[in-house]
Amino acid sequence: MHTPVTIIGAGLGGLTLARVLHVHAIPVTVYEADSSPSARAQGGLLDIHDYNGQLALEEAGLMEDFRAIVLEGRQALRVLDEDGTVLLDQPDDGTGGRPEVQRGDLRRVLLDSLPAGTVRWGHKVSGVRSLGDGRHEVAFADGGTAVTGLLVGADGAWSRVRPLLSSAAPEYIGKSVVETYLFDSGSRHPAAAKAVGSGMLIAPSPGKEIFAHREKDDTLHAYVGLARPRDWFAAVDFTDPVAATARIAREFEGWAPELTALITDSDVAPVLRSLHALPTGHRWDRVPGVTLLGDAAHLSAPNGEGANLAMLDGAELGRALAAHPGDAERALAAYEQDMFPRSAKWATDDMPGLDSADNTAQGLIDLFTEHGM
């Protein structure tokens, strides 16, 4: 017999786990703080890799559904210098292993693959406590509770489940990004649209950088990164979009206008995202009846692997539970034994830090060349 599983968090990792458990006929309930699937925007493009994220989707039996939502051509890459000089213009020839999809579309595919009622919406966790013998009680903000014999924290960076296992907490990495959106870019923002091209734009510089994606419906979604302390961003009044946009743009004075337009021409108020990470190699001793996946387990600086690793965590945990019916502790131990080194490996990469002197367009291209990309 299988122990019913309780998952906290209906992000990509938690839903992948729920889907794999459903495939193996293991009872599962997902509790999510959002009031509905459409309660908030689900972020931008994700490149789903053939060496982790796609493996998770194969385990979930959803590769055909995944291929149906891939945005063709979005693996194209352009690297520009600050003055707008194009140093790399790599088209999407269809042979890459990182097809792009909208996060919201991928989440919908996972949700649609689950039986109605699997996800309990509007259940914000206020606390979790151990009842002994591997059982835990989850308390919700509305006063309700749930008791479970197998609890999985898939609840992200500020996980309410993590304290059962670890005292570690995310710390600011010295960098934040400001998100902007330019709609109908071909007709309304042609210079910026030309700079971005059909896929992704990277314009790096020591201490600052601009990333941008061409999303569905001719939308440009930019991530403006700055290596600044939190106090610096706290002094920017993001309640005044015009003033905030001008303050951020000032840090890019002298850059090509088609690049700074990704800041100044935003069709929405700029959104600040402070970036945090758990200690590299974060792990814990085995605690009966509970584990973590995704950012709850191994939040790291953004490197393109976070969503992919969360999904692979979910698939691997689901497979382990299916392989050890009646012995959840053995399954959790096997899952964690593989997950710890995997997440530590991908928490570090060869990319220069934002504040590095090597964080330049030519430095990035040299790195691509060194790795045969």
Side-chain angles (χ1 to χ4, degrees):
M1 295 180 62
H2 293 283
T3 301
V5 181
T6 297
I7 302 170
I8 307 301
L12 298 180
L15 292 175
T16 301
L17 171 57
R19 167 62 184 179
V20 173
L21 293 176
H22 172 62
V23 167
H24 291 283
I26 299 174
V28 57
T29 301
V30 182
Y31 291 100
E32 168 57 43
D34 286 349
S35 59
S36 73
S38 59
R40 60 188 173 94
Q42 291 301 308
L45 284 186
L46 294 174
D47 49 330
I48 304 302
H49 309 158
D50 54 10
Y51 52 84
N52 46 26
Q54 291 184 46
L55 298 180
L57 289 166
E58 288 175 1
E59 187 72 25
L62 295 174
M63 279 301 293
E64 184 176 344
D65 302 84
F66 166 70
R67 293 189 184 100
I69 62 171
V70 167
L71 296 178
E72 301 296 338
R74 298 308 199 277
Q75 289 187 81
L77 172 64
R78 307 189 93 209
V79 178
L80 274 65
D81 219 336
E82 300 172 26
D83 63 2
T85 302
V86 179
L87 299 185
L88 177 68
D89 192 355
Q90 190 176 80
D92 180 359
D93 62 4
T95 64
R98 301 183 174 202
E100 302 271 2
V101 298
Q102 295 281 162
R103 179 186 287 267
D105 291 344
L106 183 54
R107 190 189 195 210
R108 175 181 49 77
V109 165
L110 288 163
L111 285 169
D112 289 349
S113 74
L114 298 172
T118 300
V119 179
R120 309 285 177 85
W121 301 98
H123 283 73
K124 182 178 181 179
V125 175
S126 59
V128 182
R129 67 187 182 102
S130 173
L131 300 177
D133 298 324
R135 297 167 66 248
H136 294 87
E137 180 186 77
V138 182
F140 301 104
D142 64 3
T145 61
V147 174
T148 179
L150 206 167
L151 178 64
V152 180
D155 49 345
W158 307 105
S159 172
R160 293 285 191 152
V161 179
R162 188 191 300 122
L164 291 171
L165 296 162
S166 167
S167 61
E171 295 187 357
Y172 182 61
I173 66 170
K175 167 187 173 182
S176 295
V177 298
V178 176
E179 288 187 63
T180 64
Y181 284 88
L182 281 64
F183 303 130
D184 301 319
S185 62
S187 58
R188 300 182 60 245
H189 308 284
K194 182 179 178 181
V196 173
S198 61
M200 181 170 71
L201 158 80
I202 307 177
S205 178
K208 63 192 74 173
E209 61 193 8
I210 299 176
F211 281 70
H213 287 116
R214 182 180 294 276
E215 298 186 351
K216 289 197 303 187
D217 303 322
D218 208 18
T219 293
L220 303 181
H221 184 182
Y223 303 84
V224 183
L226 288 169
R228 303 287 188 274
R230 280 178 292 187
D231 289 348
W232 188 93
F233 290 100
V236 179
D237 183 7
F238 282 92
T239 66
D240 183 341
V242 174
T245 298
R247 182 66 190 89
I248 299 302
R250 199 182 312 157
E251 298 301 299
F252 293 82
E253 186 175 351
W255 283 46
E258 61 270 28
L259 295 176
T260 57
L262 291 164
I263 307 169
T264 59
D265 292 0
S266 179
D267 291 313
V268 302
V271 178
L272 175 65
R273 308 287 187 194
S274 299
L275 302 181
H276 296 76
L278 287 165
T280 300
H282 175 239
R283 60 173 60 210
W284 54 87
D285 294 330
R286 175 91 291 283
V287 174
V290 60
T291 194
L292 306 171
L293 62 77
D295 284 351
H298 45 73
L299 177 70
S300 65
N303 62 3
E305 300 293 345
N308 286 277
L309 287 177
M311 294 168 65
L312 186 59
D313 286 352
E316 292 292 297
L317 177 53
R319 182 160 61 182
L321 289 167
H324 301 288
D327 194 349
E329 282 309 301
R330 185 178 176 190
L332 296 182
Y335 157 71
E336 291 176 355
Q337 182 178 4
D338 292 338
M339 182 268 290
F340 289 143
R342 179 174 65 233
S343 59
K345 171 187 175 182
W346 289 109
T348 57
D349 57 33
D350 295 329
M351 296 289 286
L354 177 57
D355 55 356
S356 168
D358 296 324
N359 190 54
T360 64
Q362 189 57 56
L364 182 62
I365 292 170
D366 291 344
L367 185 64
F368 289 164
T369 302
E370 179 183 339
H371 289 271
M373 298 174 65

mmCIF file of all heavy atoms in Angstrom, residues 241-286:
data_model
loop_
_atom_site.group_PDB
_atom_site.id
_atom_site.type_symbol
_atom_site.label_atom_id
_atom_site.label_comp_id
_atom_site.label_asym_id
_atom_site.label_seq_id
_atom_site.Cartn_x
_atom_site.Cartn_y
_atom_site.Cartn_z
ATOM 1 N N PRO A 241 5.791 54.830 -10.878
ATOM 2 C CA PRO A 241 6.404 54.131 -12.014
ATOM 3 C C PRO A 241 7.296 55.016 -12.871
ATOM 4 O O PRO A 241 8.361 54.574 -13.321
ATOM 5 C CB PRO A 241 5.197 53.626 -12.815
ATOM 6 C CG PRO A 241 4.093 53.531 -11.820
ATOM 7 C CD PRO A 241 4.316 54.666 -10.869
ATOM 8 N N VAL A 242 6.892 56.254 -13.093
ATOM 9 C CA VAL A 242 7.687 57.147 -13.941
ATOM 10 C C VAL A 242 9.034 57.437 -13.290
ATOM 11 O O VAL A 242 10.099 57.335 -13.922
ATOM 12 C CB VAL A 242 6.916 58.452 -14.224
ATOM 13 C CG1 VAL A 242 7.813 59.434 -14.981
ATOM 14 C CG2 VAL A 242 5.652 58.164 -15.022
ATOM 15 N N ALA A 243 9.010 57.780 -12.011
ATOM 16 C CA ALA A 243 10.243 58.096 -11.304
ATOM 17 C C ALA A 243 11.132 56.860 -11.174
ATOM 18 O O ALA A 243 12.358 56.940 -11.335
ATOM 19 C CB ALA A 243 9.924 58.658 -9.924
ATOM 20 N N ALA A 244 10.524 55.709 -10.898
ATOM 21 C CA ALA A 244 11.304 54.476 -10.743
ATOM 22 C C ALA A 244 11.968 54.088 -12.057
ATOM 23 O O ALA A 244 13.156 53.721 -12.084
ATOM 24 C CB ALA A 244 10.401 53.353 -10.247
ATOM 25 N N THR A 245 11.216 54.180 -13.150
ATOM 26 C CA THR A 245 11.775 53.844 -14.462
ATOM 27 C C THR A 245 12.939 54.762 -14.797
ATOM 28 O O THR A 245 13.990 54.316 -15.272
ATOM 29 C CB THR A 245 10.686 53.958 -15.539
ATOM 30 O OG1 THR A 245 9.639 53.020 -15.259
ATOM 31 C CG2 THR A 245 11.254 53.668 -16.917
ATOM 32 N N ALA A 246 12.768 56.039 -14.522
ATOM 33 C CA ALA A 246 13.836 56.997 -14.812
ATOM 34 C C ALA A 246 15.079 56.712 -13.974
ATOM 35 O O ALA A 246 16.212 56.823 -14.470
ATOM 36 C CB ALA A 246 13.333 58.414 -14.558
ATOM 37 N N ARG A 247 14.871 56.318 -12.701
ATOM 38 C CA ARG A 247 16.012 56.052 -11.824
ATOM 39 C C ARG A 247 16.784 54.824 -12.291
ATOM 40 O O ARG A 247 18.026 54.822 -12.280
ATOM 41 C CB ARG A 247 15.534 55.845 -10.383
ATOM 42 C CG ARG A 247 16.677 55.610 -9.399
ATOM 43 C CD ARG A 247 17.537 56.863 -9.289
ATOM 44 N NE ARG A 247 18.780 56.637 -8.550
ATOM 45 C CZ ARG A 247 19.919 56.244 -9.102
ATOM 46 N NH1 ARG A 247 19.983 56.009 -10.414
ATOM 47 N NH2 ARG A 247 21.005 56.089 -8.374
ATOM 48 N N ILE A 248 16.077 53.795 -12.686
ATOM 49 C CA ILE A 248 16.753 52.589 -13.173
ATOM 50 C C ILE A 248 17.457 52.887 -14.487
ATOM 51 O O ILE A 248 18.620 52.489 -14.693
ATOM 52 C CB ILE A 248 15.742 51.439 -13.346
ATOM 53 C CG1 ILE A 248 15.085 51.079 -12.005
ATOM 54 C CG2 ILE A 248 16.426 50.211 -13.947
ATOM 55 C CD1 ILE A 248 16.047 50.664 -10.920
ATOM 56 N N ALA A 249 16.799 53.608 -15.382
ATOM 57 C CA ALA A 249 17.392 53.920 -16.683
ATOM 58 C C ALA A 249 18.662 54.748 -16.538
ATOM 59 O O ALA A 249 19.594 54.636 -17.361
ATOM 60 C CB ALA A 249 16.376 54.655 -17.546
ATOM 61 N N ARG A 250 18.727 55.572 -15.500
ATOM 62 C CA ARG A 250 19.903 56.412 -15.280
ATOM 63 C C ARG A 250 21.165 55.570 -15.099
ATOM 64 O O ARG A 250 22.280 56.007 -15.426
ATOM 65 C CB ARG A 250 19.673 57.291 -14.055
ATOM 66 C CG ARG A 250 20.590 58.511 -13.994
ATOM 67 C CD ARG A 250 20.344 59.312 -12.716
ATOM 68 N NE ARG A 250 18.919 59.544 -12.490
ATOM 69 C CZ ARG A 250 18.390 59.797 -11.307
ATOM 70 N NH1 ARG A 250 19.150 59.823 -10.226
ATOM 71 N NH2 ARG A 250 17.090 60.013 -11.188
ATOM 72 N N GLU A 251 21.010 54.354 -14.570
ATOM 73 C CA GLU A 251 22.163 53.471 -14.383
ATOM 74 C C GLU A 251 22.718 52.965 -15.718
ATOM 75 O O GLU A 251 23.823 52.413 -15.766
ATOM 76 C CB GLU A 251 21.778 52.283 -13.497
ATOM 77 C CG GLU A 251 21.345 52.669 -12.092
ATOM 78 C CD GLU A 251 22.431 53.421 -11.347
ATOM 79 O OE1 GLU A 251 23.525 52.838 -11.156
ATOM 80 O OE2 GLU A 251 22.205 54.594 -10.970
ATOM 81 N N PHE A 252 21.951 53.137 -16.788
ATOM 82 C CA PHE A 252 22.361 52.666 -18.113
ATOM 83 C C PHE A 252 22.632 53.841 -19.057
ATOM 84 O O PHE A 252 22.541 53.698 -20.274
ATOM 85 C CB PHE A 252 21.294 51.731 -18.686
ATOM 86 C CG PHE A 252 21.159 50.442 -17.929
ATOM 87 C CD1 PHE A 252 20.397 50.382 -16.754
ATOM 88 C CD2 PHE A 252 21.805 49.292 -18.354
ATOM 89 C CE1 PHE A 252 20.282 49.191 -16.038
ATOM 90 C CE2 PHE A 252 21.697 48.106 -17.639
ATOM 91 C CZ PHE A 252 20.942 48.056 -16.479
ATOM 92 N N GLU A 253 22.975 54.981 -18.476
ATOM 93 C CA GLU A 253 23.278 56.163 -19.279
ATOM 94 C C GLU A 253 24.436 55.855 -20.227
ATOM 95 O O GLU A 253 25.441 55.268 -19.846
ATOM 96 C CB GLU A 253 23.645 57.331 -18.361
ATOM 97 C CG GLU A 253 23.847 58.640 -19.093
ATOM 98 C CD GLU A 253 24.083 59.803 -18.136
ATOM 99 O OE1 GLU A 253 23.910 59.606 -16.907
ATOM 100 O OE2 GLU A 253 24.433 60.887 -18.620
ATOM 101 N N GLY A 254 24.265 56.246 -21.496
ATOM 102 C CA GLY A 254 25.280 55.997 -22.504
ATOM 103 C C GLY A 254 25.069 54.723 -23.288
ATOM 104 O O GLY A 254 25.743 54.493 -24.303
ATOM 105 N N TRP A 255 24.154 53.874 -22.858
ATOM 106 C CA TRP A 255 23.840 52.659 -23.597
ATOM 107 C C TRP A 255 23.029 53.008 -24.844
ATOM 108 O O TRP A 255 22.407 54.069 -24.925
ATOM 109 C CB TRP A 255 23.048 51.684 -22.722
ATOM 110 C CG TRP A 255 23.889 50.946 -21.719
ATOM 111 C CD1 TRP A 255 24.840 51.469 -20.896
ATOM 112 C CD2 TRP A 255 23.839 49.552 -21.423
ATOM 113 N NE1 TRP A 255 25.384 50.487 -20.099
ATOM 114 C CE2 TRP A 255 24.788 49.295 -20.400
ATOM 115 C CE3 TRP A 255 23.087 48.488 -21.895
ATOM 116 C CZ2 TRP A 255 25.004 48.023 -19.859
ATOM 117 C CZ3 TRP A 255 23.289 47.216 -21.367
ATOM 118 C CH2 TRP A 255 24.250 46.991 -20.375
ATOM 119 N N ALA A 256 23.010 52.097 -25.788
ATOM 120 C CA ALA A 256 22.255 52.308 -27.030
ATOM 121 C C ALA A 256 20.779 52.523 -26.726
ATOM 122 O O ALA A 256 20.210 51.832 -25.868
ATOM 123 C CB ALA A 256 22.421 51.106 -27.949
ATOM 124 N N PRO A 257 20.113 53.466 -27.407
ATOM 125 C CA PRO A 257 18.710 53.759 -27.122
ATOM 126 C C PRO A 257 17.776 52.579 -27.342
ATOM 127 O O PRO A 257 16.761 52.462 -26.658
ATOM 128 C CB PRO A 257 18.384 54.923 -28.061
ATOM 129 C CG PRO A 257 19.456 54.908 -29.101
ATOM 130 C CD PRO A 257 20.676 54.374 -28.427
ATOM 131 N N GLU A 258 18.122 51.684 -28.293
ATOM 132 C CA GLU A 258 17.264 50.518 -28.507
ATOM 133 C C GLU A 258 17.315 49.551 -27.325
ATOM 134 O O GLU A 258 16.391 48.746 -27.127
ATOM 135 C CB GLU A 258 17.624 49.791 -29.801
ATOM 136 C CG GLU A 258 19.034 49.234 -29.876
ATOM 137 C CD GLU A 258 20.035 50.226 -30.467
ATOM 138 O OE1 GLU A 258 19.816 51.440 -30.329
ATOM 139 O OE2 GLU A 258 21.032 49.753 -31.074
ATOM 140 N N LEU A 259 18.387 49.643 -26.519
ATOM 141 C CA LEU A 259 18.484 48.835 -25.303
ATOM 142 C C LEU A 259 17.803 49.523 -24.125
ATOM 143 O O LEU A 259 17.038 48.894 -23.389
ATOM 144 C CB LEU A 259 19.949 48.539 -24.975
ATOM 145 C CG LEU A 259 20.696 47.661 -25.983
ATOM 146 C CD1 LEU A 259 22.163 47.523 -25.597
ATOM 147 C CD2 LEU A 259 20.046 46.287 -26.093
ATOM 148 N N THR A 260 18.081 50.797 -23.946
ATOM 149 C CA THR A 260 17.446 51.501 -22.819
ATOM 150 C C THR A 260 15.944 51.631 -23.013
ATOM 151 O O THR A 260 15.211 51.816 -22.038
ATOM 152 C CB THR A 260 18.072 52.893 -22.621
ATOM 153 O OG1 THR A 260 17.969 53.652 -23.830
ATOM 154 C CG2 THR A 260 19.531 52.769 -22.215
ATOM 155 N N ALA A 261 15.479 51.497 -24.266
ATOM 156 C CA ALA A 261 14.030 51.515 -24.500
ATOM 157 C C ALA A 261 13.336 50.360 -23.795
ATOM 158 O O ALA A 261 12.150 50.458 -23.442
ATOM 159 C CB ALA A 261 13.739 51.456 -26.002
ATOM 160 N N LEU A 262 14.063 49.273 -23.559
ATOM 161 C CA LEU A 262 13.489 48.139 -22.831
ATOM 162 C C LEU A 262 13.176 48.514 -21.386
ATOM 163 O O LEU A 262 12.411 47.807 -20.711
ATOM 164 C CB LEU A 262 14.445 46.947 -22.874
ATOM 165 C CG LEU A 262 14.613 46.297 -24.258
ATOM 166 C CD1 LEU A 262 15.847 45.408 -24.303
ATOM 167 C CD2 LEU A 262 13.356 45.494 -24.611
ATOM 168 N N ILE A 263 13.754 49.612 -20.917
ATOM 169 C CA ILE A 263 13.448 50.135 -19.583
ATOM 170 C C ILE A 263 12.437 51.273 -19.693
ATOM 171 O O ILE A 263 11.354 51.231 -19.108
ATOM 172 C CB ILE A 263 14.727 50.653 -18.883
ATOM 173 C CG1 ILE A 263 15.831 49.588 -18.880
ATOM 174 C CG2 ILE A 263 14.404 51.109 -17.466
ATOM 175 C CD1 ILE A 263 17.185 50.107 -18.440
ATOM 176 N N THR A 264 12.790 52.284 -20.478
ATOM 177 C CA THR A 264 12.000 53.516 -20.489
ATOM 178 C C THR A 264 10.647 53.387 -21.177
ATOM 179 O O THR A 264 9.729 54.145 -20.877
ATOM 180 C CB THR A 264 12.799 54.640 -21.173
ATOM 181 O OG1 THR A 264 13.112 54.239 -22.524
ATOM 182 C CG2 THR A 264 14.095 54.916 -20.428
ATOM 183 N N ASP A 265 10.519 52.435 -22.109
ATOM 184 C CA ASP A 265 9.272 52.315 -22.876
ATOM 185 C C ASP A 265 8.334 51.246 -22.332
ATOM 186 O O ASP A 265 7.385 50.842 -23.018
ATOM 187 C CB ASP A 265 9.580 52.017 -24.348
ATOM 188 C CG ASP A 265 10.253 53.183 -25.052
ATOM 189 O OD1 ASP A 265 10.477 54.206 -24.391
ATOM 190 O OD2 ASP A 265 10.561 53.060 -26.252
ATOM 191 N N SER A 266 8.579 50.792 -21.123
ATOM 192 C CA SER A 266 7.735 49.733 -20.554
ATOM 193 C C SER A 266 6.265 50.145 -20.542
ATOM 194 O O SER A 266 5.910 51.275 -20.201
ATOM 195 C CB SER A 266 8.177 49.411 -19.130
ATOM 196 O OG SER A 266 7.357 48.405 -18.565
ATOM 197 N N ASP A 267 5.411 49.204 -20.922
ATOM 198 C CA ASP A 267 3.966 49.450 -20.928
ATOM 199 C C ASP A 267 3.312 49.120 -19.593
ATOM 200 O O ASP A 267 2.098 49.270 -19.449
ATOM 201 C CB ASP A 267 3.303 48.619 -22.040
ATOM 202 C CG ASP A 267 3.685 49.133 -23.422
ATOM 203 O OD1 ASP A 267 3.618 50.359 -23.631
ATOM 204 O OD2 ASP A 267 4.054 48.312 -24.280
ATOM 205 N N VAL A 268 4.105 48.678 -18.630
ATOM 206 C CA VAL A 268 3.602 48.411 -17.287
ATOM 207 C C VAL A 268 4.558 49.040 -16.290
ATOM 208 O O VAL A 268 5.701 49.393 -16.625
ATOM 209 C CB VAL A 268 3.482 46.895 -17.005
ATOM 210 C CG1 VAL A 268 2.575 46.223 -18.011
ATOM 211 C CG2 VAL A 268 4.856 46.233 -17.023
ATOM 212 N N ALA A 269 4.114 49.187 -15.063
ATOM 213 C CA ALA A 269 4.995 49.690 -14.018
ATOM 214 C C ALA A 269 6.141 48.701 -13.794
ATOM 215 O O ALA A 269 5.930 47.484 -13.810
ATOM 216 C CB ALA A 269 4.213 49.887 -12.721
ATOM 217 N N PRO A 270 7.363 49.180 -13.600
ATOM 218 C CA PRO A 270 8.481 48.273 -13.354
ATOM 219 C C PRO A 270 8.286 47.501 -12.054
ATOM 220 O O PRO A 270 7.802 48.053 -11.070
ATOM 221 C CB PRO A 270 9.692 49.209 -13.282
ATOM 222 C CG PRO A 270 9.128 50.527 -12.863
ATOM 223 C CD PRO A 270 7.771 50.602 -13.492
ATOM 224 N N VAL A 271 8.658 46.228 -12.089
ATOM 225 C CA VAL A 271 8.479 45.359 -10.922
ATOM 226 C C VAL A 271 9.846 44.927 -10.409
ATOM 227 O O VAL A 271 10.654 44.379 -11.160
ATOM 228 C CB VAL A 271 7.638 44.116 -11.277
ATOM 229 C CG1 VAL A 271 7.513 43.194 -10.064
ATOM 230 C CG2 VAL A 271 6.257 44.528 -11.775
ATOM 231 N N LEU A 272 10.100 45.186 -9.131
ATOM 232 C CA LEU A 272 11.372 44.824 -8.518
ATOM 233 C C LEU A 272 11.335 43.383 -8.028
ATOM 234 O O LEU A 272 10.400 42.969 -7.347
ATOM 235 C CB LEU A 272 11.666 45.758 -7.340
ATOM 236 C CG LEU A 272 12.913 45.447 -6.508
ATOM 237 C CD1 LEU A 272 14.184 45.625 -7.341
ATOM 238 C CD2 LEU A 272 12.963 46.319 -5.260
ATOM 239 N N ARG A 273 12.358 42.612 -8.376
ATOM 240 C CA ARG A 273 12.522 41.242 -7.894
ATOM 241 C C ARG A 273 13.881 41.127 -7.203
ATOM 242 O O ARG A 273 14.918 41.087 -7.861
ATOM 243 C CB ARG A 273 12.463 40.233 -9.047
ATOM 244 C CG ARG A 273 11.256 40.341 -9.952
ATOM 245 C CD ARG A 273 10.006 39.847 -9.283
ATOM 246 N NE ARG A 273 8.893 39.798 -10.234
ATOM 247 C CZ ARG A 273 7.621 39.655 -9.883
ATOM 248 N NH1 ARG A 273 7.305 39.532 -8.597
ATOM 249 N NH2 ARG A 273 6.671 39.622 -10.792
ATOM 250 N N SER A 274 13.876 41.093 -5.887
ATOM 251 C CA SER A 274 15.120 40.887 -5.150
ATOM 252 C C SER A 274 15.483 39.407 -5.206
ATOM 253 O O SER A 274 14.616 38.544 -5.029
ATOM 254 C CB SER A 274 14.952 41.326 -3.695
ATOM 255 O OG SER A 274 14.641 42.709 -3.623
ATOM 256 N N LEU A 275 16.747 39.101 -5.440
ATOM 257 C CA LEU A 275 17.174 37.720 -5.642
ATOM 258 C C LEU A 275 17.876 37.175 -4.398
ATOM 259 O O LEU A 275 18.733 37.841 -3.811
ATOM 260 C CB LEU A 275 18.101 37.643 -6.850
ATOM 261 C CG LEU A 275 17.492 38.164 -8.165
ATOM 262 C CD1 LEU A 275 18.502 38.026 -9.305
ATOM 263 C CD2 LEU A 275 16.191 37.437 -8.500
ATOM 264 N N HIS A 276 17.476 35.972 -4.026
ATOM 265 C CA HIS A 276 18.001 35.321 -2.825
ATOM 266 C C HIS A 276 18.454 33.904 -3.163
ATOM 267 O O HIS A 276 18.091 33.347 -4.206
ATOM 268 C CB HIS A 276 16.920 35.259 -1.733
ATOM 269 C CG HIS A 276 16.469 36.595 -1.246
ATOM 270 N ND1 HIS A 276 15.622 37.409 -1.973
ATOM 271 C CD2 HIS A 276 16.741 37.271 -0.089
ATOM 272 C CE1 HIS A 276 15.403 38.524 -1.296
ATOM 273 N NE2 HIS A 276 16.062 38.461 -0.159
ATOM 274 N N ALA A 277 19.232 33.325 -2.273
ATOM 275 C CA ALA A 277 19.681 31.951 -2.458
ATOM 276 C C ALA A 277 19.901 31.291 -1.107
ATOM 277 O O ALA A 277 20.235 31.959 -0.124
ATOM 278 C CB ALA A 277 20.970 31.903 -3.277
ATOM 279 N N LEU A 278 19.715 29.983 -1.083
ATOM 280 C CA LEU A 278 20.110 29.173 0.060
ATOM 281 C C LEU A 278 21.594 28.838 -0.065
ATOM 282 O O LEU A 278 22.166 28.944 -1.157
ATOM 283 C CB LEU A 278 19.287 27.878 0.091
ATOM 284 C CG LEU A 278 17.826 28.005 0.514
ATOM 285 C CD1 LEU A 278 17.052 26.739 0.155
ATOM 286 C CD2 LEU A 278 17.720 28.283 2.015
ATOM 287 N N PRO A 279 22.243 28.433 1.009
ATOM 288 C CA PRO A 279 23.658 28.050 0.901
ATOM 289 C C PRO A 279 23.847 26.943 -0.126
ATOM 290 O O PRO A 279 23.052 25.987 -0.186
ATOM 291 C CB PRO A 279 24.003 27.552 2.310
ATOM 292 C CG PRO A 279 22.997 28.214 3.208
ATOM 293 C CD PRO A 279 21.743 28.324 2.405
ATOM 294 N N THR A 280 24.863 27.083 -0.953
ATOM 295 C CA THR A 280 25.157 26.032 -1.929
ATOM 296 C C THR A 280 25.440 24.724 -1.195
ATOM 297 O O THR A 280 26.179 24.695 -0.218
ATOM 298 C CB THR A 280 26.370 26.419 -2.791
ATOM 299 O OG1 THR A 280 26.079 27.638 -3.485
ATOM 300 C CG2 THR A 280 26.691 25.328 -3.801
ATOM 301 N N GLY A 281 24.840 23.653 -1.670
ATOM 302 C CA GLY A 281 25.008 22.370 -1.009
ATOM 303 C C GLY A 281 24.089 22.180 0.179
ATOM 304 O O GLY A 281 24.299 21.263 0.986
ATOM 305 N N HIS A 282 23.066 23.014 0.289
ATOM 306 C CA HIS A 282 22.119 22.891 1.397
ATOM 307 C C HIS A 282 21.564 21.468 1.481
ATOM 308 O O HIS A 282 21.113 20.902 0.487
ATOM 309 C CB HIS A 282 20.961 23.883 1.184
ATOM 310 C CG HIS A 282 19.868 23.766 2.189
ATOM 311 N ND1 HIS A 282 18.562 23.489 1.852
ATOM 312 C CD2 HIS A 282 19.884 23.892 3.538
ATOM 313 C CE1 HIS A 282 17.813 23.456 2.935
ATOM 314 N NE2 HIS A 282 18.597 23.690 3.969
ATOM 315 N N ARG A 283 21.591 20.896 2.678
ATOM 316 C CA ARG A 283 21.027 19.564 2.899
ATOM 317 C C ARG A 283 20.610 19.440 4.351
ATOM 318 O O ARG A 283 20.848 20.322 5.167
ATOM 319 C CB ARG A 283 22.023 18.462 2.517
ATOM 320 C CG ARG A 283 23.330 18.485 3.289
ATOM 321 C CD ARG A 283 24.178 17.253 2.957
ATOM 322 N NE ARG A 283 24.512 17.184 1.543
ATOM 323 C CZ ARG A 283 24.701 16.041 0.888
ATOM 324 N NH1 ARG A 283 24.585 14.885 1.528
ATOM 325 N NH2 ARG A 283 25.039 16.044 -0.388
ATOM 326 N N TRP A 284 19.986 18.339 4.678
ATOM 327 C CA TRP A 284 19.486 18.112 6.032
ATOM 328 C C TRP A 284 19.549 16.633 6.342
ATOM 329 O O TRP A 284 19.681 15.784 5.450
ATOM 330 C CB TRP A 284 18.041 18.616 6.157
ATOM 331 C CG TRP A 284 17.134 18.026 5.091
ATOM 332 C CD1 TRP A 284 16.447 16.847 5.134
ATOM 333 C CD2 TRP A 284 16.843 18.600 3.809
ATOM 334 N NE1 TRP A 284 15.753 16.632 3.963
ATOM 335 C CE2 TRP A 284 15.970 17.706 3.142
ATOM 336 C CE3 TRP A 284 17.222 19.777 3.159
ATOM 337 C CZ2 TRP A 284 15.486 17.953 1.849
ATOM 338 C CZ3 TRP A 284 16.738 20.024 1.880
ATOM 339 C CH2 TRP A 284 15.868 19.125 1.252
ATOM 340 N N ASP A 285 19.483 16.318 7.625
ATOM 341 C CA ASP A 285 19.395 14.920 8.035
ATOM 342 C C ASP A 285 17.975 14.420 7.794
ATOM 343 O O ASP A 285 17.004 15.183 7.863
ATOM 344 C CB ASP A 285 19.752 14.778 9.519
ATOM 345 C CG ASP A 285 21.197 15.122 9.799
ATOM 346 O OD1 ASP A 285 22.041 14.924 8.895
ATOM 347 O OD2 ASP A 285 21.490 15.607 10.914
ATOM 348 N N ARG A 286 17.855 13.144 7.519
ATOM 349 C CA ARG A 286 16.548 12.541 7.234
ATOM 350 C C ARG A 286 15.604 12.715 8.414
ATOM 351 O O ARG A 286 15.912 12.382 9.547
ATOM 352 C CB ARG A 286 16.750 11.045 6.931
ATOM 353 C CG ARG A 286 15.488 10.212 6.715
ATOM 354 C CD ARG A 286 15.090 10.173 5.245
ATOM 355 N NE ARG A 286 14.616 11.464 4.764
ATOM 356 C CZ ARG A 286 13.403 11.960 5.013
ATOM 357 N NH1 ARG A 286 12.527 11.281 5.714
ATOM 358 N NH2 ARG A 286 13.052 13.124 4.545
#
